[in-house]
């Protein structure tokens, strides 16, 4: 099958090409995540915003998985040369990559085909491939918490964060395992085309529309114990009142808990403090309103509970690396393009950008 990139249409539209690199020992679930998430978004004319291909380091043919079946991969490594984004999912048979941090000759040759400037992403142990290729030297990265210590020991030049769901470092993104791959891919869609498009994909996939990259991988109580009170009602109550001042004691009162008990239980269930959670919900609300309404920045700030435009500007700058006006300009005018004009998060190449780290949106 020919992986050649089709020329843009008469109006300049071309879907953003995502190439998934399938290695032996592949985890089928994680290999399917990019297809499921990027295969859904469409523009107002019904055109797919992404094109997803799967390739191997060998000519087209079977690739072993960790299950009792193989996958027939239709493209060879030459597809990597056509990618706008390359995703490396997890594999349990990375061999010298996992054991010694060394690329095999065929994997090195395949990775050499990737064009400069191509966005790279990994899911779970796929990060070992990027690290062994030297792409993560001096940069932050994450993987499944059970592999983080080994990753750091094998690649001491990588700044490994074992606690987060994913890290967006501009042109390279890494995630923890399994469901965190969904969070990462949704984050990329949100970064490319805004919250409305990402939320639509999440609804169709029947997953939460947003989990913050900085959320802990392991939450002590992800499912509330039915024998104990939870903080679910308080969160639902707060989401209906983001435009109002919300005090911690008011949230605790909804669950008939002391502030101390509520705060502890909230962190156990959500992985963040109530204050951090509220700020993130307000940022998400602001993003939605900036994309979908013509309300002034001042009005959006009031409707999201930030109070002033300056306060909202500071929070969006900290979370996304851009101002409200720049965010609106990106997603009110460029959301229909297949290949994004540029991410709303600050580029690490920009001298004015803050040091890239975990995306906290």
């Amino acid at each position: 099958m020919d992986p050649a990139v089709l020329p843009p249409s008469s109006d300049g539209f071309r879907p953003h090409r995502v190439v998934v690199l399938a290695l032996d020992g592949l985890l089928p679930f994680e290999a399917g995540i990019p297809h499921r998430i990027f295969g859904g978004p469409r523009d107002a004319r019904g055109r797919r915003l992404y094109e997803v291909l799967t390739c191997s380091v060998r000519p087209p043919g079977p690739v072993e998985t960790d299950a009792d079946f193989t996958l027939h991969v239709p493209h060879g490594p030459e597809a990597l040369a056509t990618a706008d984004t390359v995703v490396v999912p997890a594999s349990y048979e990375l061999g010298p990559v996992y054991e010694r941090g060394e690329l095999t000759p065929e994997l090195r040759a395949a990775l050499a085909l990737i064009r400069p400037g191509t966005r790279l992403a990994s899911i779970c142990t796929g990060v070992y491939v990027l690290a062994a290729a030297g792409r993560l030297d001096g940069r932050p990265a994450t993987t499944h918490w059970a592999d983080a210590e080994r990753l750091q020991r094998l690649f001491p030049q990588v700044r490994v964060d074992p606690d987060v769901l994913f890290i967006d470092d501009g042109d390279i993104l890494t995630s923890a395992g399994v469901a965190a791959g969904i969070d990462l891919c949704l984050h990329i869609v949100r970064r490319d085309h805004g919250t409305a498009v990402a939320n639509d994909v999440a609804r169709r996939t029947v997953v939460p529309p947003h989990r913050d990259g900085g959320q802990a991988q392991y939450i002590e109580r992800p499912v509330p114990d039915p024998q104990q009170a939870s903080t679910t009602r308080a969160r639902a109550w707060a989401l209906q009142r983001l435009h109002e001042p919300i005090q911690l004691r008011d949230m605790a009162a909804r669950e008939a808990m002391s502030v101390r008990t509520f705060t502890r239980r909230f962190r156990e269930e959500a992985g963040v403090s109530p204050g951090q959670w509220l700020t993130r919900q307000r940022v998400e609300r602001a993003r939605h309103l900036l994309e979908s309404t013509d309300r002034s920045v001042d009005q959006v700030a009031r409707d999201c509970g930030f109070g002033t435009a300056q306060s909202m500007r500071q929070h969006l700058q900290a979370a996304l690396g851009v101002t409200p006006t720049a965010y609106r300009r990106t997603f009110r005018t460029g959301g229909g393009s297949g290949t994004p004009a540029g991410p709303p998060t600050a580029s690490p190449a920009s001298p004015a950008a803050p040091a890239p780290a975990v995306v906290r949106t």
Side-chain angles (χ1 to χ4, degrees):
M1 188 176 295
D2 185 4
V5 178
L6 295 175
S9 62
S10 58
D11 62 356
F13 176 85
R14 179 178 69 80
H16 183 99
R17 175 169 283 189
V18 177
V19 176
V20 181
L21 178 57
L23 302 173
D24 284 326
L26 185 73
L27 277 65
F29 178 84
E30 296 186 15
I33 289 172
H35 290 269
R36 186 65 184 88
I37 301 301
F38 295 120
R42 296 176 181 266
D43 67 7
R45 294 170 59 179
R47 299 176 298 191
R48 292 187 181 276
L49 294 174
Y50 297 93
E51 176 190 22
V52 187
L53 279 63
T54 303
C55 80
S56 169
V57 296
R58 301 185 295 271
V63 169
E64 299 293 329
T65 73
D66 75 329
D68 63 343
F69 57 85
T70 60
L71 294 179
H72 179 82
V73 176
H75 302 288
E78 64 278 0
L80 293 169
T82 72
D84 299 304
T85 295
V86 171
V87 179
V88 186
S91 167
Y92 283 157
E93 295 181 17
L94 291 174
V97 177
Y98 186 79
E99 295 162 4
R100 301 187 300 275
E102 300 173 0
L103 296 174
T104 63
E106 63 179 2
L107 182 53
R108 184 180 299 280
L111 295 177
L113 297 173
I114 300 174
R115 297 171 299 170
T118 300
R119 182 167 58 189
L120 305 176
S122 66
I123 301 175
C124 195
T125 58
V127 72
Y128 280 82
V129 174
L130 302 184
R135 301 299 185 100
L136 295 174
D137 290 358
R139 304 183 70 160
T142 193
T143 188
H144 192 288
W145 60 266
D147 269 294
E149 184 178 347
R150 178 184 179 84
L151 179 68
Q152 186 66 89
R153 186 170 62 251
L154 198 59
F155 303 102
Q157 65 274 32
V158 179
R159 306 204 312 268
V160 179
D161 188 337
D163 298 321
V164 299
L165 293 178
F166 62 83
I167 291 178
D168 180 343
D169 195 31
D171 59 335
I172 298 183
L173 302 93
T174 56
S175 79
V178 197
I182 299 175
D183 297 312
L184 176 69
C185 291
L186 281 173
H187 168 76
I188 291 174
V189 173
R190 185 180 300 106
R191 181 177 123 166
D192 289 350
H193 298 288
T195 58
V197 174
N199 289 351
D200 181 65
V201 174
R203 281 193 297 270
R204 294 176 185 275
T205 313
V206 197
V207 296
H210 179 70
R211 288 201 301 170
D212 178 69
Q215 180 173 312
Q217 285 191 34
Y218 177 76
I219 301 174
E220 185 173 346
R221 203 185 308 274
V223 178
D225 187 336
Q227 303 302 316
Q228 297 186 13
S230 80
T231 61
T232 304
R233 289 178 300 176
R235 276 177 276 168
W237 175 84
L239 285 174
Q240 300 300 316
R241 294 165 176 79
L242 291 178
H243 59 289
E244 302 174 1
I246 298 175
Q247 302 296 325
L248 181 56
R249 63 176 180 272
D250 297 329
M251 295 182 70
R254 302 299 301 180
E255 305 290 1
M257 296 181 191
S258 68
V259 169
R260 182 176 180 179
T261 299
F262 178 82
T263 301
R264 183 182 71 251
R265 192 70 51 77
F266 194 102
R267 188 177 287 277
E268 290 173 350
E269 294 178 5
V272 293
S273 71
Q276 290 171 319
W277 180 85
L278 271 173
T279 296
R280 293 172 185 177
Q281 303 311 311
R282 284 178 165 140
V283 167
E284 284 303 298
R285 175 67 172 160
R287 293 172 74 164
H288 172 72
L289 293 178
L290 288 169
E291 291 178 37
S292 61
T293 75
D294 293 320
R295 299 177 198 178
S296 68
V297 171
D298 287 326
Q299 184 62 53
V300 170
R302 289 192 295 270
D303 291 347
C304 297
F306 285 121
T308 67
Q310 178 61 25
S311 175
M312 183 174 73
R313 187 174 296 109
Q314 291 173 348
H315 282 96
L316 261 69
Q317 190 78 47
L320 309 177
V322 295
T323 64
T325 301
Y327 185 86
R328 168 171 274 170
R329 183 169 57 247
T330 298
F331 292 116
R332 289 296 293 253
T333 60
S337 173
T339 300
T345 47
S347 166
S350 171
V358 177
V359 171
R360 302 186 183 281
T361 52

